[in-house]
Amino acid sequence: MSSIADPIKEGLARGWQVFGPGQKALPERIDCDVAIIGSGAGAGITAELLAKAGLQVLIIEEGPLKSSSDFRQRESDAYSQLYQEGGGRKTADQAMPVLQGRCVGGSTTVNWAGSFRTPADTLNYWAQNYGLKDISPASMAPWFEQVEQRLNISPWLTEPNGNNSVLQRGAAKLGIPAPVINRNVKGCWNLGSCGLGCPTNAKQSMLVTTIPAALDLGARLLVQTRAERFSWDGEKIESLSCLPIHTDGSAAGPALQVKAKHYVVAGGAINSPALLMRSHLPDPHQLLGKRTFLHPTVASSGVMPEAVNGWAGAPLALYSDHFLYTQPFNGPIGYKLETAPVHPGFAMTNLGGLGQTLVDKAKDFPHTSVLIGLLRDGFHPQAIGGTVKLKSDGSPVLDYPISDYLLDGARRAHLTMAEIQFAAGAKSVRPAHDMASAYGSWKEAQAAIQALPYRPYITTIGSAHVMGGCNMAGLAELGVVRPDGQHWQIVNLSVHDGSIFPTSIGANPQMTVYSQAARMATALAQRLNGREVRLVEAQPAKRSELQT
């Protein structure tokens, strides 16, 4: 793949202004119009729009700058270089792993490319319960359309890989809808290594789209630079203290000060609340860091008679929302069904089992199908999510109790996935649960799963979707930020990432972050210098549309 162009190397050769360990030396102070903390979904969209508006933009990323030349489809490289805490981030009680990106492009660099518009019932729930009446399905439609055009989001038309085919066959036999997914890719090689960084630049992550566009427009980028805390007085931020770091998080030099007219926090729904908490920003209603949500995710592995080779091909091609929409918000928790890449490290770590069980799983690896169920948290009195807290060194941790309500959803999702896998022809199915076995029939699996004790630690649960903690609301007593993303108490501070969600959304969140950031950043550009900007230029009207 050495012949593939590397847009990051090409940009650096053109003279991009990139500073930090391994790049240009960091100055002691940087002045700008807007400082953006983070470089993921919200940050990337915001950076491009504000740079288009002619503002001096500074992007601050605590992770390294890696590119397609570094992405070699190796789990050992990717997790250590591209993920928070080397891929080992967990909740406070260590019961759930939490996968988040920590590199330029953030989680968009390492996600599986699934792109969903925000479900209409989620937006309606926010309107009814958080005063967000202007963020409706109809009002968001133009923002969805802009993002879809900018990031080439469209249905995946290639034949599903072996793993997705299991979901397709089993769901069809049971009469469960399983439509094709939308993906943000262009010229995809269908390699299957989306979570390890795209080596062909096909995935339209912030790393290859909005961040390069902003840098070409004169934005500056700080890498391996951690935003430590804000200094503020009254209702305004005065400066931001940052620290250059090595990839292990240790200091790599003296602190520097960033002075901006406006600050946009977009570090993700664990790091963003933590920055505001370290800075002791106003929180009169004690909302900061609260109601932080995951899509707690459970898995089921099935051994198929045919070779699945689930490490090859797009990891997400199909999905099913059937078990979201058959559950009311005030009832048992609903769940979305998807597939997961069957990469050795990822699968062997997250599918449960010890000793001989792992040996047996390794032998069956080429024939293994993995389905996942993503629980929709945040809509029920027993679904209160978690809380971001600070450790003694100021680093964040997410406290996320696993309630009986969530565990009931885990059991029901395991039952559904086992039934689908058997309907697709599985020889055996094993839910990801330390006390489970490989069951040889749907009848046996159904009885066994119903009898299993569902508790934290023995029930394997994880997540790659973090939301909330700085939620937006139409009233100050209901949220940390206003509907336009501006902090309720600090006039020159906004939040543009998944931490603004009042609940989880019941879908992979990148599209919701993109569209909300586009809406907020467009308005922010107008407020800061009166410029009207768009992610994509409006198409000229057709001749027939101009005729009256």
Side-chain angles (χ1 to χ4, degrees), residues 302-326:
V303 178
M304 309 304 295
E306 76 279 7
V308 174
N309 298 334
W311 56 84
L316 287 182
L318 305 164
Y319 71 98
S320 179
D321 282 347
H322 178 76
F323 298 94
L324 283 180
Y325 299 121
T326 54

Side-chain angles (χ1 to χ4, degrees), residues 116 156 160 164-181 317-323 337-339 371 420:
F116 296 88
W156 179 245
N164 282 270
S165 294
V166 172
L167 173 59
Q168 185 179 53
R169 291 199 311 272
K173 190 168 183 179
L174 297 173
I176 297 169
V180 169
I181 212 163
L318 305 164
Y319 71 98
S320 179
D321 282 347
H322 178 76
F323 298 94
L337 297 180
E338 295 181 347
T339 56
L371 303 186
I420 288 172

Side-chain angles (χ1 to χ4, degrees), residues 115-130:
S115 304
F116 296 88
R117 292 189 176 193
T118 318
D121 56 356
T122 297
L123 291 174
N124 292 332
Y125 185 91
W126 292 356
Q128 295 165 10
N129 292 275
Y130 291 92

Side-chain angles (χ1 to χ4, degrees), residues 33-34 50 55 261-262 264 523-531:
D33 291 327
V34 183
L50 296 186
L55 294 160
K261 297 174 184 176
H262 199 92
V264 176
L524 180 59
Q526 181 74 33
R527 293 202 305 273
L528 292 179
N529 72 349
R531 292 278 294 274

Side-chain angles (χ1 to χ4, degrees), residues 3 29 37 40-41 129 140 188 212 248 264 269 275 290 365 370 378 414 440 506:
S3 62
R29 171 174 162 166
I37 296 94
N129 292 275
M140 287 304 302
C188 180
D248 65 0
V264 176
L275 172 59
K290 307 289 177 58
F365 208 64
V370 177
H414 278 156

Side-chain angles (χ1 to χ4, degrees), residues 31 48 87 151 174 228 244 267 273 291 384 408 416 436 441 446 488:
D31 293 85
E48 179 174 8
L151 302 179
L174 297 173
E228 293 279 271
R291 290 184 61 81
I384 61 172
D408 173 70
T416 294
S441 69
Q446 185 177 29
W488 272 106

